[in-house]
Amino acid sequence: MNVTVFGTGYVGLVQGAILADVGHHVICVDVDAEKVQRLSRGEIPIYEPGLESLVKENFAAGRLEFTTDAEVGVKHAQVQFIAVGTPSDEDGSADLKYVLKVAQTIAEYMQCNQIIIDKSTVPVGTADKVKATVAEVLSARNRGDLNFDVVSNPEFLKEGSAVADCQRPDRIIIGTESETTVEVMRELYAPFNRNHDKVIVMDVKSAELTKYAANCMLATKISFMNEIANLSELLGADIEKVRQGIGSDPRIGYHFIYPGIGYGGSCFPKDVQALIRSANDIDFDAKLLKAVEARNQEQKTTLFTKINRHFEGKLKDKTFAIWGLSFKPNTDDMREAPSRVLMEALWQAGAKVQAFDPEAMEETQRIYGNRDNLMLCGTKEAVLKGADALVILTEWQSFRAPDFELIKSQLSEPVVFDGRNMFEPHRMHAKGFVYYSVGRQKR
Ligand code: NAD
């Protein structure tokens, strides 16, 4: 099948690549000319395991192309994915300008009947707005004879395992009233739907809301655990024991109940905010979601509070070694990362940062540029030299079994602030560290 994907970010690029890999002929359109050039040279602008080889192989085979020319994209296929960003607007609502711009573009070049797929995460009612935008342009072109359907097909991939998630989706949500559209979508996704039927067909609004409900549920789990972790710390309990204790109940389960320093990334923060805003627009007070968000904002500051308390407020000219900058492992994404909140608070207090991340160094450099109080180091060992404490912000695999003697010998004081509970407090204590973690007692 010929397919066009608008947007070559985490969602569009991965989607385009996996569709090409099963034999569809995919053209990816992006307005970012530099990105398109890089992709056409085989350079992958983001870090996502397995993506580079997938893009290169399918590009070489001619099944995956990149262009800035929207006309070429629209004329290529009868199936058009919209996979552009939906960032938070100033009031927290989802900004639909990129989505609606693509809708307009598709309508400008449309020559035949089309299925337009909303892959971006968009509030309930967006498909109607896309429909209205397309209809308006078609009418201005006197092409009201062209038929089109707008289907909601939200994406559930996780950054860090995006390729695998798209190749083996848990579910394929199809929101449409049209049986013809369902049939085309089923054919499109057939290669990913072999083991058992993962397609769930529903009305458009329910599909749109499903995506927000999923992300808000996951964010709620995190904020809930963080709340219990904070309580646990104050009450003298151990959150890791509590986590195992509750996870053993199959109704709760072990997944996604890790305490930490708050959720980040491009999705949870903005999607929770957008649903709060959507609720507000219809005079519904989303009390629970507001609490989830508030807990998360506060959680991102908890490690700084511990650091500040430990050093009795004297952070000026102190140096902190930081392990992990991306908002979670296996990605270079720094959007809404807790590391940013912590580093900025340290800088504000006059401290310096020496940081390492296996993948997010370039992105950190891009965001913060060159500054006196940030030194990006090539290895996790190099950041330790002369630092006053080690701070762990992302649970990368390569941080799990470090050389503790080396850490101790390099730090001016053997103090570790661990935002991800990577180690056992009693072991850290036995090794001679002062060890702060989340939801457990200082050792
Ligand atoms: P992104 O910011 O990484 O990429 C968006 C891309 O769209 C950019 O390359 C941008 O240049 C391009 N773009 C903007 N306007 C365009 C236009 N008019 N024509 C063509 N391209 C255009 O975004 P992302 O992380 O891939 O997210 C895309 C959507 O998918 C968002 O709604 C997001 O909430 C949702 N989503 C993201 C994830 C995730 O983990 N990143 C997961 C599921 C859903």
Side-chain angles (χ1 to χ4, degrees), residues 6-12 29-32 35 83-86 98 101-102 105 119-122 155-159 211 215 266-267 270-271 333 335:
F6 279 84
T8 56
Y10 288 85
V11 170
V29 183
D30 206 294
V31 284
D32 184 338
K35 203 182 233 187
V84 296
T86 46
Y98 304 111
K101 176 74 192 148
V102 175
T105 306
K119 195 72 172 158
S120 300
T121 302
V122 289
E155 180 53 59
F156 297 93
L157 67 79
K158 300 181 285 297
E159 283 180 23
K211 174 63 195 177
N215 275 359
S266 68
C267 293
K270 89 169 165 57
D271 293 348
D333 200 338
R335 290 179 281 187

Side-chain angles (χ1 to χ4, degrees), residues 292-366:
V292 167
E293 213 220 333
R295 166 58 56 223
N296 195 56
Q297 300 276 5
E298 210 173 295
Q299 199 68 15
K300 286 184 179 177
T301 67
T302 50
L303 211 53
F304 178 79
T305 306
K306 287 174 189 167
I307 294 171
N308 200 34
R309 200 175 294 144
H310 176 86
F311 289 100
E312 295 171 342
K314 296 182 192 112
L315 296 180
K316 193 162 171 8
D317 297 327
K318 290 267 182 309
T319 300
F320 291 91
I322 289 189
W323 283 5
L325 296 162
S326 56
F327 84 94
K328 67 172 183 178
N330 295 321
T331 179
D332 58 354
D333 200 338
M334 296 271 294
R335 290 179 281 187
E336 307 276 342
S339 65
R340 295 174 68 165
V341 176
L342 181 79
M343 285 198 294
E344 286 165 25
L346 289 173
W347 292 331
Q348 184 79 25
K352 294 194 182 85
V353 164
Q354 298 178 167
F356 169 76
D357 186 283
E359 294 297 336
M361 305 287 271
E362 226 177 274
E363 187 59 4
T364 310
Q365 176 74 38
R366 191 190 65 76

Side-chain angles (χ1 to χ4, degrees), residues 20-39:
D21 198 48
V22 294
H24 295 305
H25 183 185
V26 182
I27 292 188
C28 290
V29 183
D30 206 294
V31 284
D32 184 338
E34 194 196 324
K35 203 182 233 187
V36 167
Q37 274 171 13
R38 286 183 67 186
L39 285 164

